[in-house]
Each structure stands twice: as C-alpha cells, then as structure tokens.
Amino acid sequence: MLFDEFEDEDNFGDAPVTEAGDGLVPPREMTSCTGQENIESFVLAMAQSQRMPHALIFAGPEGVGKATMAFRLARYLFKHGNTEDDSGGLFGEALPAEKPENLSVPSADPVFRQVASGGHPDLMTVERETDEKTGKVKSGVSVDSVRKVAPFMRMTASQGGWRIVIIDDADTMNRNAQNALLKILEEPPEQALLILITHRIGALIPTIRSRCRVVNIPPLSRADFAALIRKEHPSMPADDIDTLYAIAQGSAGQGLKIAEEGGLEMLDTVLSLMDNTGQPDWSAIHKLADKLARPGAESSYRAFCDVMLWTNESLLKATACQSELPAGIARLEALKIQYSLEDWIKICETLRDHFETFTRANLDKRQAVLGAFGIYQDRKAA
C-alpha cells in the first residue's frame, strides 16, 4: 500500500528535480513534482475534503519529492484553503466552487513568490542548521528550533487562513526535540498544519507517528527517473541511466548527485579493484585512498561510499536470490562465488557500519578507503 509506513531507509538528500532547464533548485521553488502524481491526487483529495489532518508525515527515500510535495501543499492551502464549497450567487443561491485539479499554484502568483523566498508570514520551515564554526550542516534538528513550533502554530494566521510548519529531516530530531513536538500534537489548534519530512520513519517515536497521518512517497519509476536525469544529462547512455537508477534506488535527487560526483566513473574504478580475484591491488588502492583524502575531494569520496555500498548489496542480493548480477557489475561474478551468503551479509553490515563510523566521527578518509577493502580479507580470515 502507498500509505503504509516505510521501514527505516538510509539514502541521500531530498532534492528532486524541477522543470527542464531550471536545474536543481530548493524544493520550495519547485514548480512540479514529476513522478508523484498518484500521491498528489491523494493529498489534493484530503485538502479538498475539508478534513485535512492536523499533522502529516511525508515518508520515503530521500530525493523522491517529499519536500517538494510539502511546499506544493502549503502553497495550495494558502491559495485555496479558505475556499468554501458553496458561495452566494444571484438571489443568494449556492453555487459550487470550481476545485483545482492539482496542487499547482502559478509561479507568478504572490503566494508562490512568498513561499519561494521564505517570506510567507504563515509558513515556518524548520531544518538542520549550519554550524557557524565549521560551515557544515549539523547532524540533527535542534530542540530550540522545535520549541518555536507550538507558539507559531497557535498564533492567528496573518492572512486569515492556515498556519503551516514544515520540519525537514524530522528523523534527525533527538528525543528531547521530539518530546517538545508532542505538546502541539496533543492539542492542535484549528487551521494549523504540521508536516514532517522523514527519510527514516522508524526514527520518530511511536507517539508522534500515532498522532500524524503517514503518506508514503515511493521511489520513482524507471521512466520518470530517466526523464528527469535526461533533463540534466540529455546525452547520457541508457545503460548508464540503468546503473544510476539501480544505485540511487529510484531517487532522482540521489541519481543526479551521484552523476555529478562522478559516481559512474568511480564505479569503473571500484570494479577494476575488485575484479574477479578477491585479492585487491593494494598499490592501486593506496593511490585511490590518497586521492580521495585530499582537500576538495569530498564529492568523490561520497561517490566511492555510494558505489561500494551498492556494489556489495547487489552481490548480497544476487547471492541470496540466486539471481544474476546487475549489468553494471556482471564482471564480479567470480568474486561473488568466493563468499557464502553469510559472508556477504556480514560484509555488507560491516561496510555500512564502517562508513557511518568514519563519517560520524569525521575520521581520516584515507583509512576509510583502505579499511573498506580490508573487510574482504578480514572475512576470509574469519
């Protein structure tokens, strides 16, 4: 079912694609949400039913349009949320109001411009802040930011309609921040809407999930993914798009990031180091580790992590299902059979923990690369 809860998922940033030629822009500026027409119809029906829940959770993989959908809904409610089903016509008879067919608000409309600029008085956006000292985005949404939500939602709307709060990366709130949010969920004010955007719904405490309507936003279809990728990379070969689709798991946002980070080229590099033997060329690996540890190589390092995780998870899946490897890594068949299913499960678990540890603690990327290849040797020795 589309609207049942997702399991935890670890993917990448929520940055779906806008119209051709516009490039990647913030979700609040998006004019479309390609590939999520079924979800939009469902959300529109809620908005037009006059029974909009006081809180929604948009859940699913990163990069598939959750934030874009949230801002589309916010604009719609600001524009049409006060429209009654009936209006007084000639001699006072009730005339049915014409209902919009989708959530779109023209980009020239003042509501669109206010939301896009972050200047709409009845909209609050809460997200992870940037550390002033390091310039990096903090690991979680702060409790101080969350504590501002309840007072904002209880205020009278400046324009006489809805008050809306969108919390991005809601799954990064710690327990104190989530408990602070419960206060407004337990006593929601009228015509106020809270939208939580989460990539790992299991990270939200059960009491929050039970008080919200969960809308699961799925990965894009192969056709929609390809159409969006080709808007940025019109000459990309179909085989490369197929590989990107598999690595990004249907996330156009992640697919574009991987392409821009050189992920396809990195895949060739990784495959050449893993190819057939299961005995990596340590001289070449040391050269790669040195390259990825240099200042300015952060995007290449992220591409390396993405490719390594996908490659090994594909090997695990093919072993478990006794199926063929994806076309992009078919050359690793000889490596696949060197390890048992139990081995591949352990390799994948260890590799994911390995990268998460190095990222969380900001450890030496050179050692992260060397250690990733060392996992195979360690498993053989186990």
Side-chain angles (χ1 to χ4, degrees), residues 37-259:
E37 290 78 12
N38 289 341
I39 298 296
E40 178 153 337
S41 295
F42 175 79
V43 173
L44 179 66
M46 282 196 295
Q48 294 180 343
S49 70
Q50 305 299 319
R51 293 190 299 273
M52 173 64 67
H54 64 272
L56 294 169
I57 295 175
F58 286 170
E62 296 187 33
V64 297
K66 299 188 303 299
T68 298
M69 189 67 69
F71 285 107
R72 284 176 70 78
L73 175 58
R75 289 193 297 262
Y76 177 90
L77 291 175
F78 290 143
K79 181 70 176 177
H80 303 290
N82 287 329
T83 302
E84 299 292 338
D85 288 336
D86 296 316
S87 59
L90 187 64
F91 306 117
E93 72 269 23
L95 297 176
E98 184 176 343
K99 294 183 178 180
E101 297 180 353
N102 53 49
L103 295 175
S104 293
V105 172
S107 58
D109 191 285
V111 168
F112 189 103
R113 293 199 300 267
Q114 282 184 310
V115 170
S117 67
H120 198 289
D122 296 323
L123 175 65
M124 172 187 282
T125 304
V126 179
E127 55 193 3
R128 291 186 292 159
E129 300 168 344
T130 299
D131 190 307
E132 294 181 358
K133 294 182 179 179
T134 65
K136 295 182 178 180
V137 177
K138 294 182 179 180
S139 60
V141 174
S142 71
V143 65
D144 290 337
S145 296
V146 174
R147 285 174 178 154
K148 298 175 183 177
V149 169
F152 177 86
M153 292 184 72
R154 292 193 176 103
M155 293 173 63
T156 301
S158 300
Q159 300 184 3
W162 287 82
R163 299 284 279 181
I164 300 175
V165 175
I166 297 173
I167 302 182
D168 202 0
D169 291 324
D171 47 283
T172 67
M173 294 186 295
N174 63 24
R175 189 59 181 261
N176 290 335
Q178 294 194 45
N179 285 334
L181 199 62
L182 279 175
K183 297 178 181 179
I184 194 68
L185 289 173
E186 290 168 351
E187 299 178 5
E190 293 293 325
Q191 285 227 260
L193 174 64
L194 174 67
I195 304 177
L196 305 180
I197 299 169
T198 175
H199 323 307
R200 299 174 299 120
I201 193 170
L204 297 177
I205 58 179
T207 45
I208 285 182
R209 299 202 301 266
S210 66
R211 287 170 169 81
C212 302
R213 179 66 180 268
V214 178
V215 179
N216 286 327
I217 300 185
L220 298 175
S221 69
R222 166 64 175 77
D224 287 328
F225 179 90
L228 291 171
I229 294 297
R230 283 220 163 94
K231 288 179 179 179
E232 292 294 311
H233 301 278
S235 60
M236 182 176 288
D239 289 347
D240 285 351
I241 290 180
D242 287 341
T243 301
L244 266 186
Y245 184 72
I247 298 175
Q249 300 179 54
S251 164
Q254 185 179 350
L256 281 170
K257 286 183 179 180
I258 292 171

